[in-house]
Amino acid sequence: MTEVTPPPLQGPTSKEKKYDRQLRLWAANGQAALEEAHVLLVNSGCGVVGIETLKNLVLPGIGSFTIVDTHHVTEADLGINFFLDEDSLGQSRAEHCCRLLQELNPDVNGHFITESIETCMNNPDFFKSYTLVIFTFPIPQSTLQDISRVCEEHHIPLFFVQSIGFYSHFSIALPSAFPIVETHPDPVSAVDLRLLDPWPELVSLVKETTNNLDSIPDYEHGHIPYVLLLLHYLESWKQSHMGKPPQSYKEKLEFRELVRSGARIKNAGGEENFEEAVGAVLKSLNPFSLSSGLKEVFEADECQHLTEESANFWIIASAIADFYEIHGCLPLPGSLPDMKAQSADYIRLQNVYRTKAKQDLVEIVGDVREKERELGRDDKSLIDEKEIEAFCKNAAWVKLIRGKPLQVVRYGNGGSWGDRASFAGEELLNPDSLLPLYVVFLAYTSLFNDDDDPETGTPSKAITKEDNDEGEMQQQEILATRTGTILDELWKENGREYNVEVEGWTNQREELEDRILDIVKEMVRAGTSEMHNTSSFTGGMLAQEIIKVITKQFIPVNSTCVWDGIRSRVGVYRL
């Protein structure tokens, strides 16, 4: 008889080898989203933080990037920008940064534009080809507002980043509805075993496996999956408690001792499965309730009133809301944690869960297809079943972020804090808060208005590097006064005047003024210059948030992040 040579095993592809570690984080679908993305960087000033951000996107394989930068390389650039060399002196900074960034990863496509962003924006469709936009400080406030408005209209995520001396900050303006399905919750808390609501096939498996539990041989007794053990003892508990499972903390402790008492002390093979069952009692016997995030999704107008333009997310969410109304629960994810068991028993249990999850998925897919027909979608635009399945598996931990436009403060006014005024007012008085640093950044940015000095081209109120003490003092006064204007407006929104003398208010005000003065001195000392270590660290943080937004996995910073390099502290605020 002729022997048949088995086909060779397929090893990982070159791409899988190259991106192995990150694929473990965001999987193939996340990598695909990254490779399809096109990021626009509007670079200005020293431009280091923007390039460092791109570096951390090029390395994991962003599809394409474009740099808009009108500057030419100076000797000062060579001291802080590692993506420039002496041969680039006097030449386009965008072109040479683009070239050296591409050397990091040949799979990435790099482009550069040497015209100003204002010129680019003469084309009304300029931003439409980009997945997201990053722009760096300094930038005139009118341009900042125009970019923010266009990105908001086209639902393009917008990132604004500043790096000055030891300080940095970035703000994120996401679309008004930015849903995230794959939030990657803690694996321990994400397990859904449905112990309080088992379905017939699971109940049948429990009875078959735990029948005559006391007479089962030691080896088999020590390898019964803990899920089945818990269900077995739950049934025993219900028989003596009017058919109810343990509800209070005290009852759960009593139930835990009941489970513990079933372990065999003299089992040579050990009873690790009983230890797992005991450990799972408190976290697995909680009645189901919708998370606040999912309630927000179900109650959203986009979910309750679908239209022809509704995104896939809202159609699937509407179908899952229908499922919840019918069954009082969400579709079963179908995954099981590791546990001590014989392979055959574990696979059998796993198949019961997977079969139930598949049944739930079939029901939801049917509802989705019905909604698509009602909305007039043709066969070519039907939602991929894999997308529906991913939503079903992660439904309990879906997150909806309601993005807001960037907070832009024009010179001559203090801006508006809206519904976050009360929070901001209280947070500023917290001696450990970094929010004062953000307020000074707002003041600093607002000084770069459109009133340019005709001789230098520099905004007339802008902070510049001064070589003498008198000039530095004047700059500090300008920035401190501007910061005070913003604070005055904030206090008014809170119904409290900044100069009102009330008990405790004077001391709090003086402490805040002292902290702000320290920040002002450092910013004026730095001028508009960047420190490479600060910009590199900030670029890494910002790139991480950008990847979250592109892949729509994990939960990004919602609004603002501030870095204090002097005290090595980070603050994240929703403003």
Side-chain angles (χ1 to χ4, degrees), residues 205-258:
L205 180 61
V206 172
K207 291 180 178 179
E208 180 182 339
T209 305
T210 60
N211 187 35
N212 296 322
L213 185 61
D214 294 336
S215 60
I216 292 177
D218 283 350
Y219 182 80
E220 294 180 12
H221 191 270
H223 285 80
I224 298 173
Y226 82 81
V227 172
L228 302 183
L229 288 175
L230 287 175
L231 287 167
H232 169 77
Y233 285 106
L234 269 173
E235 189 58 32
S236 299
W237 172 278
K238 289 178 182 179
Q239 291 176 4
S240 58
H241 291 79
M242 302 176 64
K244 295 180 180 180
Q247 297 174 332
S248 66
Y249 179 72
K250 180 180 179 181
E251 287 182 339
K252 289 178 181 179
L253 292 181
E254 293 176 3
F255 176 74
R256 189 169 65 179
E257 292 307 311
L258 173 64

Side-chain angles (χ1 to χ4, degrees), residues 4-24:
V4 178
T5 303
L9 296 174
Q10 288 290 337
T13 64
S14 59
K15 179 182 287 188
E16 290 171 339
K17 290 179 181 178
K18 182 177 182 178
Y19 299 127
D20 175 67
R21 295 180 69 182
Q22 64 200 50
L23 285 170
R24 298 168 192 257

